[in-house]
């Protein structure tokens, strides 16, 4: 998902207005479905069955991660800098799943909110590597030092947000 969104942001939606428009459409649809599935339980059953491989069981009656993702994309489109947008998308797309895989498989040292040190370190490492790669490809005008600092910040901020956020 993250790679697809990044490629669309870099190669299809080349203006800020296009990014805002498409993000607003997706966010509107997502929030409309959230309202609809609370109003009509059958819609919730259909959606949860359709997304059973993507949705967590606890999302059956809470705002799901896809809706938060669409909301975040709209927020970034409205107020974010293009570099921040790229890094947010790629960190969420790669570091978050890496942290989940490593944390579930190797996580022994518990931190807060059910997170593990091992998963959090995987988040930082993968977040940094994926961020640096994206910056090198799409923002090669930056110095290696600038790319390194931005990558470190992206990985750390993402990991801290994941670590201390329980509901989103």
């Amino acid at each position: 998902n993250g790679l697809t969104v990044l490629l669309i942001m870099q190669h299809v939606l080349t203006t800020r207005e296009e990014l805002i428009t498409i993000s607003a459409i997706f966010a509107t649809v997502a929030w409309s479905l959230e309202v609809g599935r609370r109003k009509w339980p059958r819609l919730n059953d259909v959606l949860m069955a359709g997304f059973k491989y993507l949705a967590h069981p606890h999302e059956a009656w809470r705002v799901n991660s896809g809706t938060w993702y669409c909301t975040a994309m709209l927020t970034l489109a409205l107020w974010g800098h293009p570099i921040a947008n790229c890094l947010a998308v790629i960190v969420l797309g790669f570091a978050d799943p890496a942290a989940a895989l490593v944390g579930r498989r190797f996580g022994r040292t518990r931190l807060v909110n059910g997170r593990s040190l091992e998963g959090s370190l995987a988040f930082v490492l993968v977040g940094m590597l994926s961020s640096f790669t994206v910056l090198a490809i799409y923002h090669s005008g930056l110095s290696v030092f600038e790319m390194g600092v931005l990558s470190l910040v992206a990985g750390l901020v993402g990991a801290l947000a994941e670590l201390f956020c329980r509901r989103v």
Side-chain angles (χ1 to χ4, degrees):
N1 246 1
L3 183 58
T4 301
V5 171
L6 175 71
L7 292 172
I8 290 169
M9 287 170 58
Q10 294 300 312
H11 300 286
V12 179
L13 305 175
T14 55
T15 69
R16 185 170 183 260
E17 292 75 22
E18 292 172 338
L19 186 58
I20 290 170
T21 301
I22 297 302
S23 297
I25 290 169
F26 274 94
T28 300
V29 168
W31 281 105
S32 296
L33 289 172
E34 288 293 339
V35 170
R37 66 192 193 102
R38 280 160 181 72
K39 188 170 180 142
W40 299 291
R42 179 71 183 126
L43 176 61
N44 186 52
D45 295 342
V46 169
L47 289 172
M48 290 307 291
F51 291 104
K52 66 183 172 190
Y53 296 112
L54 299 174
H56 297 284
H58 69 268
E59 292 178 314
W61 297 106
R62 285 182 27 196
V63 177
N64 68 59
S65 57
T67 300
W68 288 122
Y69 188 86
C70 291
T71 303
M73 291 307 304
L74 177 58
T75 302
L76 285 170
L78 289 169
W79 293 291
H81 186 278
I83 291 175
N85 295 353
C86 290
L87 296 184
V89 166
I90 208 66
V91 166
L92 182 60
F94 283 87
D96 189 45
L101 290 171
V102 170
R104 286 186 184 121
R105 177 77 170 101
F106 303 105
R108 302 286 180 264
T109 309
R110 291 286 150 210
L111 299 173
V112 295
N113 297 324
R115 307 297 193 246
S116 70
L117 175 63
E118 296 81 2
S120 294
L121 290 174
F123 192 112
V124 173
L125 180 63
V126 172
M128 288 174 57
L129 292 173
S130 59
S131 294
F132 194 88
T133 302
V134 166
L135 290 171
I137 293 169
Y138 291 111
H139 300 282
S140 58
L142 296 171
S143 70
V144 172
F145 177 77
E146 290 170 321
M147 286 189 239
V149 169
L150 287 171
S151 298
L152 175 63
V153 169
L156 283 174
V157 168
L160 289 172
E162 178 73 13
L163 184 63
F164 292 108
C165 185
R166 293 189 318 167
R167 300 203 44 99
V168 178

